[in-house]
Amino acid sequence: MTGGETHSGACLCGAVTYRVAGPLAPVVGCHCRMCRQQTGHFLASTSVERADLTIMGSEHVRWYASSETARRGFCGTCGSVLFWENASSRIAIAMGGFDGPTGVTWDKHIFVADKGDYYGIEDGVPAYAVRRPAPSAE
């Protein structure tokens, strides 16, 4: 645990609760088609080290393999969007489920080429057509 920082959250019905013992990464807004379909808009999430996340009521979490490399976790009772994970050491957590202030700020928007045509992104945060431009080869 880093400096005693903890954060907690839950799904809408309370069947799934979670606690993070450690810092939250800055918020990423993902505008890809899958995130938009799952959430009804776009996904605003943070990420944490898997070892720092404790899930209570994990038997209520349903996982959907949305691609060959990632899966999405949601509450099987109320349908709340909760998690996104791939093979990395980190897991993404939807910002909407956290209790109280988190102290995190926006970092970037990704997959904005896929965003809905009914909204703009005007917050001044870096926005990338895909995940992030590849470093230039020099």
Side-chain angles (χ1 to χ4, degrees), residues 17-130:
T17 61
Y18 51 87
R19 184 175 52 255
V20 177
L24 304 176
V27 180
V28 173
C30 184
H31 302 264
C32 78
R33 182 167 172 79
M34 284 190 278
C35 282
R36 290 189 307 109
Q37 286 179 313
Q38 182 188 26
T39 67
H41 190 38
F42 69 91
L43 178 63
S45 66
T46 183
S47 68
V48 301
E49 290 293 331
R50 287 176 198 270
D52 292 343
L53 175 64
T54 303
I55 300 171
M56 289 72 67
S58 61
E59 68 275 14
H60 299 285
V61 177
R62 301 294 175 260
W63 292 97
Y64 172 68
S66 56
S67 72
E68 291 180 15
T69 60
R71 66 184 190 157
R72 297 162 184 270
F74 61 95
C75 176
T77 304
C78 67
S80 292
V81 174
L82 298 168
F83 311 111
W84 181 94
E85 71 176 355
N86 60 14
S88 79
S89 66
R90 299 185 70 81
I91 185 168
I93 304 173
M95 290 302 300
F98 282 101
D99 302 324
T102 60
V104 297
T105 58
W106 281 100
D107 180 47
K108 63 184 169 260
H109 294 277
I110 59 174
F111 295 104
V112 298
D114 295 340
K115 79 170 199 56
D117 63 355
Y118 61 91
Y119 66 95
I121 300 173
E122 301 163 359
D123 56 12
V125 174
Y128 302 99
V130 292

